Amino acid sequence: MPSFSFTALDADGREIRGDLDAPDMPDARRQLRARSLMPVEMALGSAAKDSFGLGGISSPARMLWTRERDKQFFFRQMALMIQSGHRVRQALDTCSELVERNGLSRSIRTMVDNIDRGHSFADALRAEGRRFPAFVSALVEAGEQSGTLDQILGEIAGSLERAAELRNALVRALVFPIITLLVAFAVLSGIVFWLVPILSDFITRQGSDIHWTMQMLVDFTEFMFDWGAWIAGGVAMASLILALAYSTERGRLAIDRVLLWMPIFGKTMRYFEMSRMGGVGTLLLESGLRQVEALKVLSNVTQNRAYRHRYLTAADDVLTGQKVSTALGGGIVPKLVTHMISVGEASGGLDAVLDRIGVFYRDEVATRVSVILSTLVPAVTILVGLVVAIIYISVILTILGAYNSIR
């Protein structure tokens, strides 16, 4: 019978790890629920270590930065403990001992201190804004007012998990082609700037002619030796100018707009923003926030200044009486999204429509990432292979020409 490693939460929100035997994954989850455990992660194999939720308190890993996974566990632990009857302060006090990173533990203790001073949980989270996204405090505030804090915390954890999955998918799509290009650049630089000069000098000393293809490489090498420092300085200066421009609000807005229309990756970035708008927007509206407030929270959630500007402008337009679909229309928001939002406004089910938008574009991002990985990587490999082939042929033709001249 297969063995499954699991990570789960008990009734007190403590993290439990272990192994169990089950015929399949659903049966393994049922076994955990029968033991009053909430399954968080499960994998085939016996890779988990027994734990009682302390997360390796004495481990040096506690000194590392806070991961998205740590935040997800924190909100799931809070949701479970509040469902079990714990008060917010009591749950926070317990979580400060259960989380795996010292930085997050300190933030939780700071929140406990703020609650002791009379602040709400939402205000305490808002004070730790550098660690938690803006929509988290807005959702918690709505949950505190509506009495559904435990449900809201569970939804926050799920939203963070989905956002992390999308972000990781985008990173995976970019990392391998970039690594391939960097390695190819290093290898080709070694050939062009080390092997080609040695070979050309040797053939010249033999009194042989250099093939025209090799001569092109030699000319390129000499050009780079003569002007390479100036080119590198120009690239460095351009990078510095872009960095300075990106540090200003107008510059970052302009650069972020350009990035959204890049070939291949621009549409993926726009789809990613739409999936986040749909997912977070659904949570905001379901928690009781008005449309204007939800748009303002979305402007703080996104990292892209173009979308932030669009959301803030749309919030102002909605205040003047425009519909959300009209206020968001045009440019970086696809027509499909504004059309679906208009349908949701007409039917009174805008939150449900936003949820469908989030699911649709989340699937689209996954599909595009899969396509990018399946096409871009082979394309980069073929391009590098062609360059290497040209250099190889140039070297062979030059050697053959020198051999014939010697004969």
Side-chain angles (χ1 to χ4, degrees), residues 321-332:
Q322 288 191 26
K323 293 182 178 180
V324 176
S325 56
T326 304
L328 285 175
I332 56 179

Side-chain angles (χ1 to χ4, degrees), residues 174-211:
L174 291 170
V175 166
F176 191 76
I178 290 175
I179 292 177
T180 303
L181 286 174
L182 289 176
V183 172
F185 178 78
V187 173
L188 293 176
S189 297
I191 294 175
V192 171
F193 295 109
W194 176 72
L195 181 60
V196 169
I198 292 176
L199 184 60
S200 63
D201 289 343
F202 173 77
I203 294 175
T204 302
R205 286 197 300 269
Q206 300 299 319
S208 303
D209 294 330
I210 299 177
H211 195 270

Side-chain angles (χ1 to χ4, degrees), residues 224 226-241:
M224 291 303 297
D226 294 337
W227 297 95
W230 291 96
I231 294 174
V235 172
M237 183 62 68
S239 301
L240 179 61
I241 293 173

